[in-house]
Amino acid sequence: MTDERTGAQVMCEALVREDVEVMFGIPGGAIMPFYHAMWEYRDRLRHVLCRHEQGAGHAAEGYARSTGKPGVCVATSGPGATNLVTPIANAWMDSTPLVAITGQVSSAVLGKDAFQETDITGITLPITKHNYRVSRAEDLPSVFREAFHIARTGRPGPVLIDVTKDAQQARLVPDWNVTLNVPGFSAPVGLDPRAIREAARILAGASKPLILAGQGVIISDAVAELRTLAERTGIPVVTTLHGIGAFPEDHPLSIGMPGMHGWVHVNRAIQECDVLLCIGARFDDRVTGKASTFAPRASVIHIDIDPSEIGKNVKVAVAIIGDARAALRALIELIPPRDAAIWLRNIRETQATHQHRQPYLRRPDTTELMPHDVYAALNAALNKRGGYRVITDVGQHQMWAAQLIEWRRPRTHITSGGAGTMGFAVPAAMGAAIAHPDETIWAIVGDGGFQMTNQELATIGQEGIKNVKVAIVNNGYLGMVRQWQQLFEGRRYSGTPLTGPSFAGLAEAYGLRGFTVDRIEDAEEAIRAAWDHDGSVVLDFRVEREANVFPLVPPGLSIGEMITREAPA
Amino acid sequence: MRHTLIALVEDRPGALNRILGLLRGRGLGLHSIAVGDSETPGVKRATVLVDTESVEQTIKQLNRLIEVLEVTDVTNAEYVVRETALVKIHAPEPRRDEIKTVADGFGARIVGSSPQTVVVEMTDTPDRLGEMIARVMAIGACETMRSGSLAMALAGPAPRVPAPAPEDATRVWWSQADGIS
């Protein structure tokens, strides 16, 4: 017995050493040696065979976002690898730790347009934190180590490892005593005490301070610190789409989501505040609207681990570069207790005037199931039962979910934000369900996004995954586009009406349970039945077709200029 | 505005590709890039002339690339710029003296010739190269090959190469996993 291994075995061992327990993928010619080796590791490394590599990538993202650990996806060369491009781009935009492993043609034929050869490291250059092509098996231990280190350190993100077939097949005695030598990868540095002092000074002198909390709070595990800071200072807290869960929405200081579909009182508070403390958020244009008019009265204090986010979209008065939790702890030490009750009362008065949960008023002449009926029933069930996570897709249903569910815990709201990838929800829910078998994972998805990746229902069936509950908010349109066409393009519904099969029937065909719900009085019962069913379920909610998401900041305008209802016809 | 950046870059496959891709992806205009070995083995030094509205953002974005070790903007520092040009001038014998006169005037050298052509080499500021080229173009058809600008700040700290991570840190990290093999 020697210590000799194949490159493919070294890859498996590296994954075990990195605490990987599951990977999502599809085999093919150039990655076959890895699958061959995987068989010996099947008690330690679970492989989930997906139906499309995009599904594998999003499943790995769902795993990563719900656990904080890197997700792993696997594909073969050529089309297998290119099918991973969308999830890699999605992970890049949403700072999700993801390690994508692809097979590559043998080095002997590399560069000769070999069968299923694609330059995947070239293709993914701008959407990965880093990527590697490995053609020497000896490099595998250090490359895997670096890749996982880079994926999860600092601002997390995707890393791709492309391994030629001959490197997987080569025999070697691996040297695991590798030195992590990435001098150009600036790991988080210590906080600048002057910046902390200056931020504390500005906050202490503010009369209308506001906290804008993003996903960085969740990634750095700073939820408790954020709460301490808010409670100690009485500063109201706004949570971005990815910041949902960083601060409980039933807390008296929580005022909700900002931006394009944020609440009127939140956007007005941003426009009025004199100090804006932004923690782990990157001032996406969906948050700022027209950036030059964003928070015009505010001194902005920006805490971010990525220096390139400072001053990118919004001018900042003080930049604190570093880990959000460390920064918040340092700030808490320096900020004296204070009170912002009058300011908060003003915000609440605006909120009361605009009755923010009421723009979904049922039309007087219809009894159709409205989206808000579905969310009301879901919200009641989620908060009564607990033990859930919700994955949303992209579009109207995503904004309704962000607005209408009362979010309370980190990593319970997972969505595709920066990239806006339709088709994210079903596979991501599958990944989260595998990571959390004792929880109920809801996928809320539109009928458009559902039809992009619903092939993964077959994977859910094959793997015996019982805890995915899909709620389709089905309006027979690509609804967000249709809404823009209605509001800004004179109802020219070009390319947006959408049909589909019976989604309940489709679920049954895949061996899951499926129910169609089209009456208000059935919504609650359907959700209860789905939750209690010992298996994965698809609920097809046939909702009013032309319901809209309000409030809405028209694209390119200031967030102070919101549309709160349809113009009277 | 055009900025002159000096970057230290690890010599790994695709490193240059990443820098170029980043500039293109962020919509920045690349005027010239010149890369060669630095004093440290395995590390290249590049001079990048780039048009950017926010040089701070550009430098931060470049620093996000794993292979980029350091980026300095020398635009507002005291620095020298040099560029080398090779110019092939198509000129018959009788006009060669004229070329030599121009070359001498600019401190350029004739480095080779063929029956139809003369090749002149000159190293100077980009502007001076332009002037010389304009003059010889009046003599005969020219083909030019320019190196792109090389820049160097006059002052600055002694070069510092980041030290590799201590080896024992590595061992601790790996031993956390249950050993196989």
Side-chain angles (χ1 to χ4, degrees):
Chain A
M1 178 71 192
T2 71
D3 291 335
E4 202 172 69
R5 296 278 189 279
T6 64
Q9 286 172 319
V10 171
M11 292 162 73
C12 292
E13 289 188 10
L15 293 177
V16 172
R17 284 165 186 262
E18 294 294 341
D19 273 338
V20 173
E21 49 183 11
V22 60
M23 52 193 154
F24 303 88
I26 302 181
I31 192 76
M32 275 185 69
F34 180 53
Y35 274 81
H36 185 80
M38 206 188 279
W39 186 256
E40 299 150 33
Y41 290 83
R42 60 191 187 280
D43 58 330
R44 281 160 289 174
L45 286 175
R46 177 176 177 188
H47 177 265
V48 175
L49 173 67
C50 298
R51 294 301 179 272
H52 188 289
E53 289 85 355
Q54 184 190 353
H58 291 323
E61 288 186 275
Y63 177 91
R65 292 276 295 282
S66 66
T67 61
K69 293 164 61 178
V72 178
C73 54
V74 186
T76 192
S77 62
T82 57
N83 281 344
L84 285 179
V85 168
T86 297
I88 290 171
N90 194 67
W92 170 250
M93 291 296 276
D94 286 349
S95 306
T96 304
L98 180 76
V99 175
I101 300 168
T102 51
Q104 181 56 278
V105 299
S106 282
S107 19
V109 292
L110 200 63
K112 298 187 174 158
D113 301 323
F115 177 65
Q116 292 193 330
E117 178 183 353
T118 299
D119 175 16
I120 194 63
T121 49
I123 289 172
T124 57
L125 217 59
I127 51 168
T128 48
K129 273 184 91 174
H130 200 51
N131 63 27
Y132 300 86
R133 181 196 282 159
V134 184
S135 49
R136 283 166 19 106
E138 294 73 25
D139 295 338
L140 286 166
S142 60
V143 164
F144 270 70
R145 173 140 187 240
E146 269 183 39
F148 276 86
H149 175 71
I150 290 170
R152 69 172 141 232
T153 306
R155 178 182 184 173
V159 178
L160 178 132
I161 310 173
D162 192 34
V163 187
T164 60
K165 191 170 184 178
D166 53 311
Q168 298 169 50
Q169 289 164 325
R171 302 193 70 84
L172 72 157
V173 178
D175 177 9
W176 294 105
N177 272 330
V178 288
T179 306
L180 188 62
N181 186 13
V182 272
F185 179 56
S186 27
V189 290
L191 296 167
D192 177 358
R194 284 168 309 171
I196 302 280
R197 276 198 302 274
E198 180 63 4
R201 190 188 65 75
I202 292 177
L203 277 169
S207 57
K208 295 176 175 178
L210 203 58
I211 292 173
L212 177 65
Q215 194 190 191
V217 174
I218 295 168
I219 293 172
S220 74
D221 208 3
V223 171
E225 285 77 7
L226 172 60
R227 189 166 175 155
T228 303
L229 177 74
E231 288 176 350
R232 195 174 152 84
T233 56
I235 302 178
V237 179
V238 176
T239 39
T240 68
L241 181 66
H242 277 324
I244 283 176
F247 196 77
E249 290 190 355
D250 55 346
H251 192 286
L253 288 170
S254 168
I255 62 170
M257 186 173 77
M260 181 175 268
H261 293 294
W263 302 121
V264 172
H265 66 280
V266 176
N267 283 347
R268 290 213 181 149
I270 289 173
Q271 295 306 77
E272 267 178 53
C273 71
D274 58 358
V275 174
L276 183 64
L277 172 61
C278 172
I279 311 163
R282 61 181 179 86
F283 297 109
D284 183 275
D285 57 80
R286 288 305 197 252
V287 166
T288 62
K290 190 178 172 187
S292 58
T293 62
F294 177 76
R297 295 173 178 82
S299 297
V300 176
I301 303 167
H302 192 180
I303 302 175
D304 207 294
I305 201 156
D306 180 353
S308 72
E309 288 301 347
I310 306 291
K312 185 178 78 177
N313 295 342
V314 166
K315 271 200 178 150
V316 300
V318 180
I320 301 175
I321 296 164
D323 177 66
R325 182 156 77 162
L328 285 174
R329 284 183 174 174
L331 266 181
I332 290 165
E333 298 251 310
L334 288 187
I335 297 184
R338 49 160 298 153
D339 173 33
I342 297 168
W343 163 232
L344 180 62
R345 200 178 313 133
N346 288 345
I347 297 171
R348 294 294 183 205
E349 276 165 19
T350 313
Q351 177 175 14
T353 311
H354 289 272
Q355 299 182 330
H356 74 252
R357 297 200 176 203
Q358 300 303 310
Y360 309 91
L361 294 173
R362 194 180 316 287
R363 291 185 196 151
D365 58 346
T366 177
T367 55
E368 289 220 50
L369 181 63
M370 295 290 284
H372 82 286
D373 300 323
V374 176
Y375 289 96
L378 259 172
N379 188 43
L382 294 172
N383 286 318
K384 195 174 88 191
R385 297 209 188 209
Y388 66 87
R389 288 170 205 270
V390 177
I391 322 294
T392 64
D393 209 75
V394 174
Q396 287 185 308
H397 75 277
Q398 175 192 34
M399 292 296 111
W400 283 320
Q403 292 177 332
L404 299 175
I405 292 173
E406 192 171 77
W407 303 99
R408 297 181 183 176
R409 290 180 297 116
R411 300 191 187 281
T412 57
H413 170 270
I414 295 168
T415 193
S416 168
T421 305
M422 287 175 67
F424 172 78
V426 170
M430 176 173 78
I434 285 174
H436 305 279
D438 300 331
E439 298 178 3
T440 299
I441 310 298
W442 281 89
I444 305 178
V445 59
D447 48 320
F450 177 73
Q451 292 189 81
M452 289 188 177
T453 51
N454 65 29
Q455 77 283 345
E456 299 308 332
L457 293 178
T459 312
I460 289 170
Q462 177 172 347
E463 293 289 322
I465 297 165
K466 295 183 170 182
N467 52 335
V468 172
K469 318 289 173 177
V470 180
I472 305 173
V473 181
N474 179 355
N475 56 13
Y477 279 110
L478 298 172
M480 188 61 93
V481 181
R482 185 211 54 77
Q483 172 172 341
W484 283 34
Q485 289 171 334
Q486 176 189 341
L487 297 177
F488 309 125
E489 295 178 6
R491 286 183 189 264
R492 182 181 284 189
Y493 291 166
S494 172
T496 43
L498 180 72
T499 65
S502 153
F503 295 135
L506 185 74
E508 299 279 343
Y510 277 124
L512 314 180
R513 288 311 310 276
F515 302 100
T516 305
V517 186
D518 48 19
R519 297 192 313 167
I520 300 161
E521 51 270 34
D522 296 339
E524 209 171 300
E525 171 56 20
I527 289 165
R528 190 199 61 74
W531 204 307
D532 290 338
H533 175 65
D534 185 29
S536 292
V537 178
V538 173
L539 296 180
D540 178 9
F541 291 102
R542 306 278 178 89
V543 298
E544 151 60 35
R545 295 194 69 199
E546 296 187 53
N548 287 325
V549 181
F550 289 114
L552 163 69
V553 178
L557 293 190
S558 153
I559 57 168
E561 302 171 66
M562 306 197 75
I563 303 176
T564 53
R565 54 174 59 244
E566 279 157 60
Chain B
M1 177 184 165
R2 182 158 299 166
H3 287 264
T4 302
L5 308 182
I6 296 177
L8 270 181
V9 184
E10 275 189 276
D11 187 11
R12 294 214 219 176
L16 191 58
N17 200 355
R18 277 172 219 280
I19 292 173
L20 299 178
L22 185 144
L23 298 178
R24 181 195 51 73
R26 303 268 167 190
L28 303 174
L30 178 67
H31 179 70
S32 82
I33 183 165
V35 196
D37 289 342
S38 73
E39 65 285 350
T40 309
V43 177
K44 300 272 188 192
R45 183 174 274 115
T47 302
V48 186
L49 267 63
V50 62
D51 297 326
T52 172
E53 294 304 309
S54 168
V55 73
E56 279 162 64
Q57 261 302 308
T58 305
I59 291 174
K60 287 180 193 167
Q61 296 287 353
L62 286 168
N63 271 323
R64 289 216 299 186
L65 299 176
I66 304 293
E67 295 96 340
V68 172
L69 302 174
E70 190 185 296
V71 184
T72 324
D73 179 17
V74 297
T75 313
N76 296 318
E78 271 194 273
Y79 70 107
V80 288
V81 184
R82 288 294 179 272
E83 183 170 356
T84 293
L86 296 173
V87 186
K88 182 159 62 191
I89 307 139
H90 291 257
E93 265 321 319
R95 305 206 68 177
R96 300 271 165 113
D97 283 351
E98 242 178 291
I99 294 172
K100 182 149 189 344
T101 309
V102 173
D104 288 346
F106 280 90
R109 299 190 301 148
I110 292 175
V111 291
S113 62
S114 76
Q116 295 80 32
T117 59
V118 179
V119 176
V120 171
E121 180 220 308
M122 175 172 162
T123 298
D124 209 315
T125 63
D127 286 351
R128 289 273 294 166
L129 294 186
E131 289 169 28
M132 188 275 284
I133 290 166
R135 291 278 297 280
V136 292
M137 279 177 82
I139 300 170
C142 289
E143 175 184 325
T144 66
M145 170 67 80
R146 297 175 62 158
S147 64
S149 294
L150 304 177
M152 183 169 273
L154 300 185
R160 171 186 57 86
V161 172
E167 208 167 321
D168 51 341
T170 308
R171 297 226 167 85
V172 170
W173 197 80
W174 273 108
S175 66
Q176 286 167 353
D178 289 328
I180 315 155
S181 81

